[in-house]
């Protein structure tokens, strides 16, 4: 019945029009007819009553009940009269016909009149009469003509109604039914059906428009099918793993290349959730892919592990692009999946290489720092301690400089193996760079474990390392710091371990030192010294003190040794012990040395103006770090500026310089010799192989260490005797090698006497004079010359 719903609505509209317009007119017609009939009946009843009232006067006056009843029957027989009642005034006669009055609902109107009698006295009321007129039937009120007109009217309305329905069916319903049939056929059969209807009215226009629309849609559908076929072909033939995900995250389509690359069949994957093929560990990553935002091209990307049909796993990069389905909901998306297993492996390999030391195979600094953070978190979670051991090889630079970096690399590899063998399986070890190693270990008593391991590491390095037939002795200084006892962060922990290592290296090397507050104090003091050095260089606090060097045979002042002093405005004169060490560590020793040398040469130039001092020499100490290729040229420039010849300059070097034994150092020494400077070997007799240096290097002066001189005057006869024997041996060998011998630290007359008897050439010490600034030295120099000359003469 749906097809006829339009017709049903049309019929309802027609019926509604009849009810709204025709029915009210018909009702008005009945109302008007009813009023006319009512008036006529009332008028007839009044006439009937008036005609019979006069006849009732005499019977009621005479109280003639029979005559009265006859007249009442006559009234009752009148048209539409349903009830008559006549009564006299005395109540004697009361005639009702019928005996009981009818229901008031059936009464249309009531007519009443007084009954009069013409007596001699005049008209007198003798009673009353009442007539009830019946309610008329609606159609009975119509006359024949009116009823005929009413029937004609109904026939006209019915004919119009039927004609409207037929016209609606012919002009509207039939084309609509054909249009509906064409639409239904299009829906069921899939082909575009047209409406077989031609007319010049609106329905014909609708049919033509519909047919044109069907033709256009058919063309568009054909074009769309062709485009879809081409798109599908491109989708399947594109050499990329394409797939489509619907709003429920299920696979809606996959390309042929996707199937080939994954090994699945299309039936096996369509409709399944994509996460079913993703490794379980990556489900959360894939689920949250949209929360990380999209790239510049509006696509989100994520890298996950994908399980192929054969069970193998490949790393894939998924690029997903899509559009919202409206109302903020996400619709279908197009994704492309790329196998990045090779790239991922290369990335992992590069990452391993980035955090691994290529020489030893241990972690490098970057890897160590990443592991350090993780182990701190683990130690906190397990309520344990984390110990960091910072290890630095002793004298490793000598191996590199003397035997070459290739040998040094072999030593590092052997050391790495030995260190690794002393650790537990879960301890971490890294090479931070050069000869520095770091070890991390977790334990409830990490301090004790770290100190034990530190001892084992030192023991493991006692055995010489054999490289290319050479047996090399290697030792290590180890610093230990523990988290959280000594440090609150990863960087702080490594720094504290480094500080402990340097504290151990300063106190004799080859051992283990646990971080403590004393190290903090040393570091604070070192920082203060660094700041003091920088300020002294800026504000010219450094001075060159001179200590006389006396010829022991004659007492003549032969030269001076320049000694560095720092005159602090608040702390006074500071000795160089701590200053030199800090300056060598932070790299300022070169600047300090240049300042001292320049001031020492200036002082020598001033002293040379005194009588008998024109040929005295100046001995200047140089740190190993000052031996660069530019040192000879810098010395020559200063000497030229102050008019001092190079032959009056003695460059004092320590065994540390000679131990470098590098071509660069030898080149500097040769250049100084060529300039005219003499070379003095300071602190002779305290090193490992000082005698060999006299033969290998251009040494002109040998300075006997003051520890031997001091031992001469000891009360222990055996020590005094051995010290004298050593000095005699040094003097004899040095003289045979063409070297002058100078004794350091002469403080007593006894020491002076013994050294003079041995036959040493020169001496210096507090017995002669303490190091003095230029002004004090210039004032005391004449007296010192006379006194020392007299003392030597007396000894001789």
């Amino acid at each position: 019945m749906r097809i006829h719903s339009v017709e049903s609505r049309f019929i309802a509209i027609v019926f509604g029009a009849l009810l709204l317009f025709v029915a009210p007119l018909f009702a008005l017609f009945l109302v008007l007819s009813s009023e006319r009939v009512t008036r006529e009946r009332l008028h007839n009843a009044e006439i009937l009553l008036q005609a019979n009232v006069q006849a009732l006067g005499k019977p009621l006056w005479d109280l003639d009940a029979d005559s009265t009843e006859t007249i009442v029957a006559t009234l009752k027989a009148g048209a539409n009269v349903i009830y008559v009642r006549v009564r006299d005034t005395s109540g004697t006669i009361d005639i009702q016909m019928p005996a009981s009055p009818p229901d008031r609902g059936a009464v249309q109107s009531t007519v009443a009149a007084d009954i009069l009698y013409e007596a001699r006295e005049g008209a007198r009321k003798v009673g009353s009469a009442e007539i009830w007129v019946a309610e008329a039937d609606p159609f009975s009120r119509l006359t024949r003509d009116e009823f005929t007109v009413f029937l004609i009217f109904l026939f006209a309305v019915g004919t119009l109604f039927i004609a409207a329905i037929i016209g609606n069916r012919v002009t509207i319903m039939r084309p609509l039914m054909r249009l509906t049939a064409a639409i239904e056929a299009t829906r069921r059969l899939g082909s575009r059906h047209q409406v077989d209807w031609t007319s010049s009215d609106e329905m014909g226009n609708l049919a033509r428009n519909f047919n044109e629309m069907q033709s256009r849609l058919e063309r568009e559908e054909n074009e769309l099918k062709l485009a879809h076929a081409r798109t599908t072909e491109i989708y399947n033939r594109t050499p990329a793993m394409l797939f489509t995900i619907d709003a429920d995250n299920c696979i809606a389509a996959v390309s042929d290349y996707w199937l080939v690359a994954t090994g699945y069949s299309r039936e096996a994957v369509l409709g399944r959730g994509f996460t079913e093929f993703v490794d379980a560990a990556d489900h959360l990553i894939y689920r949250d892919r949209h929360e990380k935002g999209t790239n510049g091209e509006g696509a989100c990307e994520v890298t996950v592990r994908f399980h192929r049909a054969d069970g193998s796993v490949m790393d894939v990069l998924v690029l997903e692009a899509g559009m919202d389905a409206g109302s903020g909901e996400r619709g279908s998306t197009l994704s492309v999946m790329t196998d990045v297993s090779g790239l991922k492996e290369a990335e992992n390999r590069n990452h391993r290489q980035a955090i691994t030391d290529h020489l030893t195979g241990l972690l490098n600094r970057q890897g160590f720092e990443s592991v350090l953070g993780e182990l701190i978190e683990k130690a906190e979670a397990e309520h344990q301690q984390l110990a960091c051991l910072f290890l630095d090889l002793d004298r490793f630079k000598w191996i590199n400089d003397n035997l070459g970096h290739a040998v040094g690399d072999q030593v590092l590899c052997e050391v790495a193996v030995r260190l690794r063998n002393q650790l537990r399986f879960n301890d971490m070890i890294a090479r931070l760079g050069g000869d520095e190693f770091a070890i991390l270990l977790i334990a409830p008593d990490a301090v004790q474990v770290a100190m034990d391991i530190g001892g084992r590491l030192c023991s493991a390095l006692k055995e010489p390392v054999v490289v290319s037939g050479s047996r090399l002795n290697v030792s290590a200084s180890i610093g230990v710091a523990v988290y959280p006892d000594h440090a609150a962060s990863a960087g702080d922990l490594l720094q504290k371990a480094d500080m402990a290592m340097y504290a151990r290296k300063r106190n004799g090397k080859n051992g283990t030192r646990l971080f403590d507050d004393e190290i903090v104090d040393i570091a604070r003091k070192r920082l203060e010294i660094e700041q003091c050095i920088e300020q002294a260089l800026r504000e010219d606090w450094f001075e060159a003190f001179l200590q006389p060097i006396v010829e022991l045979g004659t007492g003549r002042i032969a030269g001076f040794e320049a000694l560095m002093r720092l005159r602090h405005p608040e702390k006074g004169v500071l000795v160089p012990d701590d200053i030199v060490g800090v300056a060598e560590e932070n790299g300022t020793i070169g600047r300090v040395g240049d300042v001292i040398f320049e001031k020492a040469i200036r002082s020598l130039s001033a002293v040379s103006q005194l009588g008998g001092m024109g040929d005295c020499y100046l001995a200047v100490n140089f740190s190993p770090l000052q031996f660069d290729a530019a040192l000879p040229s810098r010395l020559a420039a200063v000497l030229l500026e102050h008019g001092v010849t190079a032959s009056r300059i003695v460059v004092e070097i320590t065994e540390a310089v000679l131990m470098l034994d590098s071509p660069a150092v030898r080149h500097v020494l040769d250049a100084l010799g060529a300039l005219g400077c003499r070379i003095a070997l300071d602190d002779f007799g305290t090193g490992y192989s000082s005698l060999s240096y006299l033969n290998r290097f251009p040494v002109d002066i040998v300075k006997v260490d003051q520890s031997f001189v001091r031992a001469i005057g000891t009360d222990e006869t055996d020590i005094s005797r051995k010290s004298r024997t050593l000095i005699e041996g040094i003097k004899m060998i040095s003289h045979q090698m063409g070297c002058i011998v100078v004794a350091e630290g002469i403080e007593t007359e006894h020491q002076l006497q013994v050294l003079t008897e041995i036959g040493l050439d020169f001496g210096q010490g507090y017995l002669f004079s303490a190091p003095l600034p230029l002004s004090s030295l210039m004032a005391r120099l004449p007296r010192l010359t006379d006194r020392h000359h007299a003392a030597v003469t007396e000894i001789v």
Side-chain angles (χ1 to χ4, degrees), residues 567-602:
R567 189 180 298 275
H568 195 278
E570 298 177 358
K571 300 178 182 179
V573 178
L574 304 181
V575 296
D577 296 345
D578 296 332
I579 296 175
V580 172
V582 173
E584 288 182 337
E585 290 180 10
N586 66 9
T588 58
I589 189 63
R591 296 161 59 194
V592 174
D594 291 343
V595 171
I596 297 301
F597 182 74
E598 195 277 334
K599 289 189 174 185
I601 295 299
R602 187 188 308 164

Side-chain angles (χ1 to χ4, degrees), residues 318-563:
V318 179
L319 291 176
E320 180 179 289
M323 298 180 62
D324 290 341
S327 303
E329 297 181 358
R330 187 171 298 277
S332 299
T333 61
L334 176 62
S335 303
V336 56
M337 191 168 71
T338 305
D339 185 0
V340 294
S341 300
L343 294 177
K344 195 71 173 179
E345 177 60 28
E347 179 183 347
N348 293 335
R349 184 170 58 254
N350 292 336
H351 176 69
R352 289 193 299 270
Q353 292 176 352
I355 66 173
T356 303
D357 176 47
H358 70 282
L359 178 63
T360 62
L362 304 177
L363 291 176
N364 58 16
R365 179 176 289 273
Q366 179 180 347
F368 174 80
E369 291 176 350
S370 63
V371 171
L372 178 56
E374 296 175 359
L375 291 183
I376 284 181
E377 295 179 358
K378 181 179 179 182
E380 289 181 346
E382 298 178 356
H383 304 288
Q384 298 194 73
Q385 295 178 325
L386 175 65
C388 176
L389 288 77
F390 195 103
L391 183 147
D392 185 89
L393 299 182
D394 302 325
R395 298 178 67 247
F396 180 75
K397 188 175 185 302
W398 182 89
I399 297 176
N400 267 345
D401 294 341
N402 289 272
L403 303 179
H405 289 278
V407 174
D409 290 345
Q410 295 183 53
V411 171
L412 289 176
C413 292
E414 176 62 23
V415 168
V417 172
R418 294 189 186 185
L419 296 180
R420 177 74 265 182
N421 291 338
Q422 300 303 318
L423 302 179
R424 303 174 301 177
F425 74 95
N426 58 342
D427 295 336
M428 302 299 299
I429 180 171
R431 180 191 174 211
L432 303 184
D435 59 340
E436 294 179 343
F437 296 84
I439 298 168
L440 297 173
L441 55 91
I442 292 180
D445 53 343
V447 173
Q448 184 61 45
V449 175
M451 296 304 291
D452 292 343
I453 291 180
R456 294 205 304 268
L457 295 178
C458 291
S459 299
L461 297 178
K462 287 183 179 179
E463 183 69 22
V465 177
V466 180
V467 178
S468 301
S470 300
R471 296 172 62 86
L472 303 176
N473 293 314
V474 180
S475 62
S477 298
I478 303 174
V480 178
V482 176
Y483 175 89
D485 295 352
H486 302 144
S489 64
D492 195 22
L493 180 63
L494 184 61
Q495 180 185 14
K496 296 296 178 59
D498 188 17
M499 294 170 62
M501 182 275 294
Y502 274 109
R504 177 61 198 180
K505 192 174 285 288
R506 285 190 295 268
N507 293 333
K509 304 180 180 180
N510 191 25
T512 305
R513 174 71 182 269
L514 180 65
F515 180 85
D516 54 28
D517 294 336
E518 181 183 356
I519 295 177
V520 177
D521 295 337
I522 295 174
R524 186 181 300 110
K525 180 180 179 181
R526 183 183 183 279
L527 178 60
E528 293 176 355
I529 294 175
E530 285 185 350
Q531 295 172 346
C532 183
I533 292 173
E534 290 294 336
Q535 189 173 7
L537 289 170
R538 290 195 307 268
E539 302 183 13
D540 195 23
W541 292 350
F542 283 107
E543 295 183 11
F545 279 32
L546 300 182
Q547 185 178 35
I549 300 174
V550 178
E551 186 177 10
L552 298 184
T554 63
R556 177 181 64 86
I557 296 179
F560 303 90
E561 181 177 3
L563 300 172

Side-chain angles (χ1 to χ4, degrees), residues 691 693-696 699 732-739:
L691 294 177
Y693 297 144
L694 300 180
N695 184 47
R696 293 164 54 194
V699 177
M732 181 183 64
I733 295 175
S734 298
H735 283 176
Q736 290 180 355
M737 300 293 292
C739 297

